[in-house]
Amino acid sequence: MNTFNIMLGSINDVKNFVNIVSKYDFDIDLTSGRYVVDAKSIMGIFSLDLSKPITVDVHNENGEKLVEELKPFICE
């Protein structure tokens, strides 16, 4: 499982993020505080606190291509 943090600063960022992760058939979760939502759910993402970094959990050992596509959103 790959885990990293992202920032989604605008509505367009959320839309672009969901478009990218929806192409993959494995599970991807977003965690913010005590909340965990499906990364493919726009409504779920908007229920999170987007002013803080969000943790992404990719439930696949071969998620390197996904991580590469998400580089613009990844923060340290």
Side-chain angles (χ1 to χ4, degrees):
M1 178 166 71
N2 292 336
T3 301
F4 51 92
N5 290 327
I6 61 166
M7 283 294 294
L8 299 172
S10 71
I11 293 171
N12 281 335
D13 285 350
V14 173
K15 185 179 99 177
N16 293 336
F17 176 83
V18 171
N19 285 337
I20 291 169
V21 297
S22 293
K23 296 188 289 186
Y24 296 89
D25 63 352
F26 46 83
D27 289 335
I28 305 162
D29 294 327
L30 297 180
T31 305
S32 178
R34 62 186 177 116
Y35 298 101
V36 178
V37 299
D38 183 352
K40 299 174 186 177
S41 168
I42 289 177
M43 293 301 289
I45 293 172
F46 281 120
S47 73
L48 300 176
D49 182 0
L50 299 179
S51 67
K52 298 177 183 173
I54 300 168
T55 302
V56 179
D57 294 316
V58 179
H59 299 280
N60 189 308
E61 295 303 320
N62 300 319
E64 295 83 21
K65 185 176 176 188
L66 170 65
V67 173
E68 190 63 35
E69 284 192 73
L70 294 178
K71 283 231 185 212
F73 305 108
I74 295 176
C75 62
E76 297 302 318

